[in-house]
Amino acid sequence: MSDETPMDEIDQGKIELIMALRRQGIRDKRVLNALERIPREKFINASFRKQAYEDHALPIECGQTISQPFIVAYMTEQLQVGERMKVLEVGTGSGYQAAILSKLCRRVYTIERYRTLLRDALKRFEDLHLHNITAKAGDGGEGWPEQAPFDRIIVTAAAASVPPKLVEQLKPGGVMIVPVGAPGGRGEQHLVRIERTEEGVKREELMPVRFVPLVEGVAKES
């Protein structure tokens, strides 16, 4: 276990991160509690484990990233997840965001286009006894029609525009948080909050962000 970061270092890093998130305006105690309970160090490569509780994104397999803790906390807080809700996540990645959501809602459905990432995430969910997460390989832009409608949808990759099929899978009164904008540094991306109402759709821009692009289809490589 010599290559592992000592638990006291991890615990100290976690405490400092939670304090930093509070200073940055994260107020929802349920969200902060979920971030405290889910071990971020389990969702990243061993070589980056010392940075598990630093507030920045880290690389994972398949050229993807695990998001900065502040962004995870902010998006989750803006989603306003209730404990009886059914939530769809588009872009499982490491599984960290789904794990956070699993502590806040009744059931999480999560879609990943890379089978390697999906396999690793499923193993983490099993190891952490997170039994209210259902995951599959698929095209995130298509959503999960068989399980719709959803109370909440969170998208963890940047779409060129708000994906219409995901809006259709929101319940009336449902909320979606999605990064929207040009991928790969070619233009601005903004985090957008979408609320489906009886009259139509309400859209609110929240903050500038930088996410990997939302790509159609399931990746050929696994």
Side-chain angles (χ1 to χ4, degrees):
M1 296 184 61
S2 58
D3 61 336
E4 292 190 4
T5 307
M7 281 307 298
D8 56 347
E9 273 186 46
I10 286 173
D11 290 342
Q12 183 60 34
K14 187 179 286 191
I15 290 165
E16 289 173 4
L17 175 63
I18 297 299
M19 290 171 63
L21 293 175
R22 287 179 182 276
R23 287 195 297 272
Q24 291 176 85
I26 304 300
R27 296 281 178 263
D28 190 318
K29 289 179 181 175
R30 293 179 69 237
V31 172
L32 290 166
N33 185 47
L35 275 117
E36 204 166 347
R37 291 166 68 194
I38 295 296
R40 191 171 186 253
E41 70 276 11
K42 303 287 189 190
F43 292 83
I44 56 180
N45 297 333
S47 55
F48 293 104
R49 205 146 284 172
K50 286 187 186 242
Q51 301 175 55
Y53 292 99
E54 294 176 11
D55 193 19
H56 55 74
L58 291 168
I60 58 173
E61 302 297 329
C62 304
Q64 304 300 293
T65 57
I66 178 172
S67 293
Q68 173 189 0
F70 170 74
I71 292 295
V72 173
Y74 181 80
M75 289 177 74
T76 307
E77 187 172 67
Q78 291 296 319
L79 207 58
Q80 298 177 317
V81 180
E83 61 184 21
R84 300 303 305 158
M85 289 182 176
K86 183 163 78 167
V87 180
L88 173 66
E89 179 195 34
V90 173
T92 313
S94 69
Y96 181 65
Q97 177 71 75
I100 297 294
L101 290 167
S102 76
K103 297 296 184 185
L104 301 171
C105 68
R106 179 170 58 87
R107 180 152 290 277
V108 181
Y109 293 87
T110 181
I111 306 172
E112 176 53 56
R113 69 186 301 268
Y114 290 101
R115 289 184 174 88
T116 299
L117 293 180
L118 183 67
R119 184 194 64 226
D120 292 348
L122 285 168
K123 178 71 166 58
R124 293 178 183 121
F125 301 153
E126 186 181 333
D127 290 347
L128 294 169
H129 308 291
L130 304 175
H131 301 305
N132 63 335
I133 303 174
T134 303
K136 74 169 184 176
D139 183 338
E142 298 293 316
W144 201 322
E146 300 84 356
Q147 294 296 339
F150 297 96
D151 300 287
R152 298 289 187 266
I153 298 177
I154 186 168
V155 185
T156 60
S161 57
V162 176
K165 290 185 179 178
L166 297 184
V167 176
E168 289 168 14
Q169 291 175 35
L170 274 176
K171 285 182 182 176
V175 172
M176 173 165 61
I177 303 291
V178 53
V180 176
R186 287 178 288 176
E188 285 192 345
Q189 294 176 7
H190 279 87
L191 211 55
V192 174
R193 186 179 192 272
I194 298 292
E195 183 179 352
R196 186 171 184 180
T197 69
E198 298 293 351
E199 294 77 36
V201 173
K202 284 171 61 178
R203 173 179 173 141
E204 178 188 1
E205 287 200 357
L206 299 175
M207 65 181 292
V209 287
R210 177 67 57 214
F211 276 84
V212 296
L214 181 66
V215 181
E216 287 184 6
V218 179
K220 288 188 174 65
E221 67 270 33
S222 57

